[in-house]
Amino acid sequence: EYMRLGLYHPALEVLSRKYPASPPDRSEPGSVLPQDHPLVAYYRAYCKEKLGLEAMDDYAAASRLSTSYVFPNSAETVHVLKAALHARPSDGTAHYLLGTFLFSRGLTDAALQEWDQARKVQPNIPVLHADIGIALLQVRKDPQGALSAFQDGVAVDPKNRELYVGMDEVLSILQRPATDRVQALERYPDLAQMPSDLVYELALNRAEAGDFDGAKRLFYNRFFPREEGGTNVRQIWVEVLLQEALSLQGTGHCERALRFGKNLGVEVPGLAFTHDGLEPMLQSARTQYLLGILTSGCGGEGEAREHFERAAKEMHGDQITWAYAAARKLGEGSANEWKQKLEAALAHVEVRSKTGSKDSLSMYAAGCIEVALGDRQEADQAFQQALLLPDRMMAHHLSRLAG
């Protein structure tokens, strides 16, 4: 407020104070004291410059402070950062923070110019490569450039989950082999402490690559937190086992495949989450349909029919296309009747998308419905959108399989 009024002396007094530390339970994780915040230091230097005082030491000090959890958002900040760059054109921190401000205002080209400058002069800034990758992927639609940024960022910021999420998304969009995605995720420096969402993705990718034992090993000696509306570890576990069973059936190992199929819901020693809560995953239309395919492929037509009948009853959300597939196996329902149901389900997804409820799972569901309706081009676009949105309920894995 002082600065807006041109009162740089009192502003400088506020900005030069040494503030006392707060107890750990009274501050936000990752937050720093004002005197350790780069924007405070830049503001202090700016005020000194306006007062005709020596400011270069303060600008230099600001450039050495961490940018973690720093989000420039005020109009004054633009003037301050531009002044910092006028004083020290090679200040990578100022370039990065100015780029962050510009990107938050939708000025992607200008932001990328600033971030490119920061990358040239100070490539070790945390989050910089992740921000560049996200901008290139989400706005510029340049997956190859995004991949390069994400990969370079691992050397600088090895525990930044956004880099690994980004590499997985880009490699999925580029339709690279599952082994490539596994290698990218395995660059995480501490697999034992890997964030749960990355564990889920690594397990699914290992399963897609045929490394089922490697996928299952990831579930042991680990705590999986629950998040409302988020992915449940039980979904991932059932999916890995189901994919292994289908792989065995596909290679003619029917006895083992059927045993795997029957044991999807069996409690496993050492995995507390298998004690209960698996039933909703087992009874989903998709699981029941795939179990029907499994048992049918191994000669169990009667049991397969039971699975298809269960699947055909699950009509909600993303399960309708599996119910439709099961009904076709059973020879139930007319083509016109199912077309009306599928079109109604697709319309519901489209309405949700237009009202701001678009997410990766709904885009995956839309893609599956478009496949069932015979529009492969629209389906592929929906699957691509699913991969660009934050993963929810295995939508990325499911979109890869469907695509």
Side-chain angles (χ1 to χ4, degrees), residues 227-285:
E227 178 184 348
E228 185 176 356
T231 306
N232 188 323
V233 62
R234 295 168 180 83
Q235 290 176 282
I236 311 299
W237 176 252
V238 169
E239 179 66 12
V240 169
L241 295 185
L242 185 58
Q243 291 302 318
E244 184 171 14
L246 290 167
S247 176
L248 288 168
Q249 181 261 323
T251 53
H253 296 85
C254 274
E255 184 177 346
R256 290 183 62 200
L258 292 172
R259 186 164 65 249
F260 264 77
K262 291 181 183 299
N263 291 336
L264 288 182
V266 172
E267 182 177 357
V268 178
L271 297 180
F273 62 82
T274 63
H275 176 67
D276 56 22
L278 293 172
E279 198 62 22
M281 294 77 188
L282 300 177
Q283 295 304 320
S284 72

Side-chain angles (χ1 to χ4, degrees), residues 213-225:
D213 289 339
K216 289 183 286 189
R217 281 197 301 271
L218 292 169
F219 293 90
Y220 289 86
N221 303 313
R222 199 184 293 271
F223 171 72
F224 295 98

